[in-house]
Amino acid sequence: MTTTEQPPTDSMRRFDELLRADEKIEPRDWMPDEYRKTMIRQIAQHAHSEVIGQQPEGNWITRAPSLRRKAILMAKVQDEAGHGLYLYAAAETLGISRDELNQLLHTGRQKYSSIFNYPTLSWADIGAIGWLVDGAAITNQVMLTRTSYGPYARAMVRICKEESFHQRQGFEIMVTLTRGTDEQKAMAQDALDRWWWPSLAMFGPPDADSTHTEQSMAWKIKLETNDELRQKFVDMTVPQADHLGLRIPDPDLVWNEERGHYDFGEIDWDDFWQVVKGNGPCNRERIASKVRAWNDGAWVREAAAAHAERQRRRAAGNGGSNGRSSGRDRDTEVRR
Ligand code: FAQ
């Protein structure tokens, strides 16, 4: 039972039944207001992360060390924009518009992931982001392919496929650097030193301090807790660091035979909360760039809306037309 405070209505019973049967909640289904709010918060935060997450890597597109690396990085950054768009579309099915979501982000009323507030200081950071940040993102998102809200779960399936390509391209950069000159190896180690702890913090606060985990688990939004996912990520990543010949910057990291997992040191949660509150090294810069891009893009949104409106009017005036233009109409359109 997920809604214990009032006597259950038929709608609540149906919602609970869907969850119990591991079926998806769809936009047409009744859902408790708090479920809707939680979904909007999480999906929006996720969408904003994908969009803001373009900035640290976008910073290296002009400085990628070869044409091949540049083409791959551009494709990756474009993928992140696409993920943001699927996710905004999923959030819109809950009755909030993309404009509103952007306003909430720009005015600090919605969050994005802490990880994107750290600077990318060297090319090795692009390897470390793909390997660690995308690696952490997939660990969390594989779980979310089975989350209870249908549009979010379906968006996650496609996103995970692309994230796993991103993770591999990052790892491949790290392989190349660690097999290179001493200077390149040092760059790779330095990137791991700086990105390791923020990547572990990405999973959110420890379970004991997590505000939403208990309710989100009851609603099957989350199927694993922050600490369980963090452990999974550490267990997966330590052998990869060994393969690269890199040292994880944690003196307490040790295999625990009894638990069948790695033990690891304490995360600096004060640093995490400072970053979440807006005081990380790049928070101000990230939001300022986002707002600038949004304002600069106003004319594109206006032109697209005017074009859609003209298409709609034309289709409406077109008697029995199904609203789709023929190839010939499209040709005429382009010439005008
Ligand atoms: N950063 O009660 P919980 C990517 C907040 S995508 C900032 O545990 P919850 C792809 C949380 O909102 C990365 N804030 O929260 C990519 C809450 O505050 P509120 C993004 C955080 O929701 C790769 C408070 O702390 N992925 O990287 C963070 O149950 C490379 C208490 O926390 C997603 O968003 C944080 N790290 O669990 C793109 C996945 N953690 O709202 C470009 C979807 C927690 O009450 C390049 N999201 N907070 O004021 C989730 O799975 C969950 O929302 C968690 C947090 C697990 C992040």
Side-chain angles (χ1 to χ4, degrees), residues 41-43 45-47 49-54 57 76 80 83 111-116 129-130 133-134 137 140-141 143-144 152 163 166 201-206 209-213 216 222 226 229 272-273 276:
R41 176 187 63 80
Q42 180 165 328
I43 301 175
Q45 183 166 325
H46 196 164
S49 304
E50 300 279 359
V51 170
I52 300 252
Q54 294 174 93
E57 289 173 292
K76 178 185 191 292
E80 309 299 0
H83 297 174
K111 298 185 165 75
Y112 60 92
S113 181
S114 50
I115 193 76
F116 301 117
I129 290 181
V133 176
D134 285 280
N140 169 280
Q141 289 171 175
M143 163 189 84
L144 293 174
Y152 191 28
E163 298 288 26
H166 296 169
M202 262 178 90
F203 292 93
D209 300 330
S210 162
T211 334
H212 304 289
T213 295
S216 288
K222 279 171 129 171
N226 300 356
L229 290 169
F272 170 78
W273 289 116
V276 171

